[in-house]
Amino acid sequence: MDRRYARTQDKQKTLQNKDKMSNWAYYGPDKADYSFLTDRLFPAKKIAVDIETVGKKDRTPIGLSMAINAWESFWFPIDSPVLPWGMLQSPDILKVYHNGLFDLDGLWEHKPDCTNIDDTLIRARLANYDRASLEYLAPTIGRSIPFTITDLLKKYKVKGCDQLPEEVIARKCCIDSQVTYQLSEELNLIESPDWYYKRELRLIPLLIKWSRRGMPVDTQRVEKEYNFCMKQLAYIQTLCEGLGFNPGSNQQVGYILSKRGAWLPMTQGRRQLKVDDDTLGPIDDFLAQTVLVYRHFQKLASTYYKPLLGKDWTRTWFSFETITNRISSRWPNLQNQPPSVRQVFYWPGEGVDFSQLELRNLAYFSKDKAMAEVFSSGGSIHKYTASKFFGPGYSDEQYKHAKAINFSAVYQTTPQGMAVKQGISVAQAQEFIEGFTHVYPEAWASILRQKADGIRTGYVTTLDGHKIKIPKYTPEGFPETEEGIGRKAVNYPIQGSAAEILRRALLYMEDLGNPINMQIHDEALMNRDLGEIRYDVDDLAHLSPIYTPVDVEQFKRWGE
């Protein structure tokens, strides 16, 4: 179909980059006039919506498009006097988004309706497409996305979408909304139950609301910790340069260690020596350990402290994009803050943490008698494991080993990985992992069956009946090994079921009006300054067929 971009001749508007913008524009097969708004757009009962923001992190909207079918859409600058906000705010009109968490967050100040929405990204993810981007999905319905935002920014040599020419960003936005509309019409994207999908949609506005509440930051403490890390890095850098290598260069680290007699394997791409943390950990050379310490302070400084410098408050952006359906966090990733970093966040908070959730899932699926007895009696699975391995008089260090032994089953940790994290030999780690098979024989038998089934079928199923496809390729694009597929076949249903139980808990807490401001893995955090906190711990423990008691803590600093 021949499509033409027809600019209207309404009164001009001006953006910061000084490019002239019209009040609205049409992208479709016909020659546009103002009647298109009143005759075609305004009567629509279903529209696909795409917004363009300054950037991924700066979600200040600059404009949006509304598609009324797979070939016609309308573009509006965000300050257009004819932008029909009422259509976005009306519960009587179905709004289709591709990544509603992003688009609705950008439109949040305009109070968009979130009760009558559809999201083709979520549907594609639940249907186990290898990727859920529009660029990937468009060819499945005979369409294409000719360019990405990254392509446009690179082509025009600008940093933000607000610096792109109007017609360029408008055309991109209109094509995206048209493809989104067609996806919602032509693809059967859902393999999960309908109620499962609706639960995902309900979470979208809640996650936006919770993330926008944010977390207060201790500015002075952040600066102090950052400066300490930088001093340690400078000291180690000087030490290593005196020995002839840069600790921040993997190539130089590999060269100096191999020169000193360390055996190092090649990376999967076989382009250089492998010097990741798991490889360096067991090496008995102070330079290898020095590099690990350098990386520790470098990650603390660059990943955790630097993004918080000068801020007295921060928020995160949630995402549904994890394979196991766990809610992820980024910019910054507040779900992955080390205990030492957590203490820079302070507010009168309360946390509800589901106790040993992954291991309870393993016990439920495997019906392991020893695990079931521990959990039914209100005991700690980690203490039980420690007593079995080390006797009743186990030490704090041995208790940490017991936790690692238990989680090695859930995450299918290798002996090398456990050795690095626990500071033990590979042989001892192997002995620990083998010992698990004797302490929990039914759980181990279930793990072996799950591995075999996952390798054979390529799928696993969660507590709520969601089928998860096991990726055939690694994140780096290499074919996944049978060992890797088996590891994911064990981990995915446990992690996916934990995500589902936490969803039940979050919705239960929200229905009672609790002031949630953060979700961390198996924990919900609340801010007492924002409202009354009320819930029944017994209700939380019986939200699913798996008994899941919770630990409750109150704090003034997160992590203390």
Side-chain angles (χ1 to χ4, degrees):
M1 185 179 292
D2 180 35
R3 289 173 290 158
R4 296 187 295 275
Y5 180 88
R7 280 187 60 135
T8 59
Q9 302 300 318
D10 294 340
K11 182 179 179 181
Q12 300 293 306
K13 297 290 181 182
T14 303
L15 290 182
Q16 293 180 354
N17 64 355
K18 306 303 182 184
D19 284 347
K20 291 184 177 180
M21 299 283 290
S22 59
N23 281 338
W24 66 280
Y26 166 80
Y27 188 68
D30 301 321
K31 186 175 181 180
D33 58 47
Y34 195 82
S35 66
F36 275 39
L37 289 179
T38 56
D39 296 345
R40 299 196 186 187
L41 176 60
F42 294 166
K45 293 300 180 184
K46 172 182 175 179
I47 55 175
V49 182
D50 184 67
I51 77 165
E52 298 299 340
T53 62
V54 172
K56 288 185 177 180
K57 296 182 182 179
D58 183 354
R59 299 195 181 183
T60 304
I62 59 176
L64 61 86
S65 65
M66 298 180 179
I68 56 174
N69 53 49
W71 299 103
E72 293 183 282
S73 51
F74 297 82
W75 160 265
F76 299 91
I78 205 66
D79 60 350
S80 169
V82 296
L83 197 163
W85 289 110
M87 297 187 73
L88 296 174
Q89 296 163 348
S90 172
D92 298 325
I93 297 175
L94 175 62
K95 284 79 61 182
V96 185
Y97 298 92
H98 190 82
N99 193 359
L101 266 175
F102 182 93
D103 291 339
L104 288 166
D105 189 272
L107 298 172
W108 199 250
E109 304 298 334
H110 300 280
K111 297 180 173 55
D113 169 65
C114 298
T115 63
N116 190 10
I117 61 174
D118 193 2
D119 194 313
T120 52
L121 184 145
I122 293 178
R123 293 168 65 184
R125 179 175 53 78
L126 294 182
N128 291 299
Y129 279 79
D130 292 335
R131 294 189 296 276
S133 67
L134 279 180
E135 291 78 18
Y136 178 83
L137 293 172
T140 66
I141 55 171
R143 301 289 290 268
S144 67
I145 304 293
F147 35 71
T148 66
I149 290 295
T150 302
D151 296 333
L152 295 177
L153 296 177
K154 184 176 181 180
K155 177 180 178 180
Y156 287 92
K157 299 178 180 179
V158 295
K159 295 183 178 180
C161 292
D162 56 331
Q163 298 170 316
L164 291 170
E166 173 217 353
E167 185 167 335
V168 170
I169 193 65
R171 181 171 182 264
K172 164 65 176 168
C173 193
C174 286
I175 292 174
D176 286 356
S177 63
Q178 290 176 4
V179 171
T180 298
Y181 194 103
Q182 189 170 345
L183 280 171
S184 71
E185 292 282 300
E186 296 188 18
L187 289 185
N188 179 19
L189 297 177
I190 303 177
E191 285 188 0
S192 300
D194 185 57
W195 64 265
Y196 195 105
Y197 174 61
K198 289 179 179 178
R199 182 173 68 185
E200 298 295 282
L201 293 181
R202 188 185 170 200
L203 277 170
I204 290 176
L206 301 181
L207 290 172
I208 295 173
K209 179 175 69 173
W210 299 336
S211 68
R212 281 176 164 260
R213 285 172 175 164
M215 302 168 71
V217 177
D218 186 338
T219 306
Q220 292 183 345
R221 186 157 182 173
V222 169
E223 185 176 359
K224 177 182 177 181
E225 297 292 344
Y226 177 77
N227 289 337
F228 175 77
C229 290
M230 296 306 294
K231 288 180 181 178
Q232 299 302 311
L233 289 171
Y235 172 77
I236 298 173
Q237 183 85 30
T238 301
L239 175 66
C240 293
E241 287 176 351
L243 295 172
F245 76 102
N246 176 6
S249 167
N250 287 343
Q251 187 175 21
Q252 292 184 34
V253 169
Y255 174 78
I256 193 71
L257 289 176
S258 62
K259 188 177 179 181
R260 290 165 63 91
W263 181 86
L264 297 170
M266 298 296 291
T267 59
Q268 195 165 9
R270 306 193 66 79
R271 295 184 178 181
Q272 65 182 44
L273 295 172
K274 192 174 183 181
V275 291
D276 62 319
D277 291 1
D278 287 353
T279 302
L280 296 189
I283 296 177
D284 186 18
D285 186 321
F286 86 96
L287 282 189
Q289 304 310 311
T290 299
V291 170
L292 292 177
V293 173
Y294 178 86
R295 291 175 179 174
H296 168 73
F297 284 113
Q298 188 179 52
K299 188 171 183 64
L300 283 177
S302 61
T303 303
Y304 300 113
Y305 292 127
K306 187 176 181 180
L308 297 175
L309 286 173
K311 295 182 178 179
D312 59 7
W313 176 90
T314 191
R315 63 161 292 186
T316 189
W317 279 268
F318 289 116
S319 171
F320 284 131
E321 295 171 12
T322 56
I323 295 175
T324 58
N325 212 20
R326 285 218 154 181
I327 298 165
S328 60
S329 159
R330 54 185 171 180
W331 304 325
N333 181 0
L334 294 180
Q335 293 179 333
N336 193 32
Q337 303 292 304
S340 60
V341 178
R342 289 185 176 194
Q343 295 182 23
V344 305
F345 302 99
Y346 70 100
W347 75 93
E350 185 165 323
V352 176
D353 189 4
F354 282 84
S355 174
Q356 303 170 0
L357 184 54
E358 290 88 354
L359 291 163
R360 292 178 185 276
N361 289 345
L362 176 58
Y364 176 81
F365 289 126
S366 69
K367 295 181 171 48
D368 186 272
K369 295 183 179 63
M371 284 188 166
E373 184 176 345
V374 171
F375 287 132
S376 63
S377 65
S380 164
I381 196 70
H382 300 317
K383 291 181 179 179
Y384 180 82
T385 301
S387 66
K388 285 294 183 179
F389 274 81
F390 310 111
Y394 57 82
S395 65
D396 290 344
E397 187 69 17
Q398 289 170 330
Y399 176 78
K400 291 179 182 178
H401 291 336
K403 290 183 68 174
I405 291 168
N406 288 334
F407 285 119
S408 72
V410 174
Y411 296 102
Q412 289 294 282
T413 311
T414 64
Q416 292 80 7
M418 180 187 287
V420 171
K421 294 177 181 177
Q422 294 299 304
I424 58 178
S425 68
V426 175
Q428 188 176 12
Q430 180 67 45
E431 183 180 337
F432 283 164
I433 292 174
E434 290 177 358
F436 181 93
T437 69
H438 301 296
V439 177
Y440 304 110
E442 290 96 349
W444 186 249
S446 174
I447 286 171
L448 295 180
R449 288 195 301 271
Q450 190 68 30
K451 277 186 175 182
D453 289 345
I455 292 170
R456 178 175 56 84
T457 66
Y459 285 89
V460 293
T461 305
T462 65
L463 177 69
D464 284 343
H466 172 50
K467 290 177 66 177
I468 302 177
K469 180 182 177 182
I470 302 174
K472 297 180 180 179
Y473 294 90
T474 68
E476 296 76 24
F478 298 104
E480 185 59 273
T481 63
E482 186 172 287
E483 180 185 1
I485 293 174
R487 184 168 54 249
K488 292 172 181 176
V490 175
N491 176 253
Y492 282 3
I494 294 174
Q495 290 287 310
S497 299
E500 292 164 354
I501 292 171
L502 189 66
R503 276 165 165 72
R504 299 185 188 204
L506 290 171
L507 293 175
Y508 165 83
M509 304 280 282
E510 174 66 24
D511 288 341
L512 293 177
N514 287 282
I516 299 171
N517 67 324
M518 192 60 203
Q519 180 271 318
I520 309 289
H521 303 306
D522 302 331
E523 183 178 11
L525 301 180
M526 294 163 283
N527 188 332
R528 290 196 299 273
D529 279 348
L530 300 179
E532 181 183 355
I533 295 176
R534 55 184 182 274
Y535 53 85
D536 188 311
V537 292
D538 193 56
D539 287 345
L540 288 171
H542 293 89
L543 288 173
S544 77
I546 302 174
Y547 177 64
T548 53
V550 296
D551 297 324
V552 179
E553 63 173 357
Q554 295 185 345
F555 54 85
K556 292 183 179 179
R557 280 186 185 275
W558 182 28
E560 284 190 345

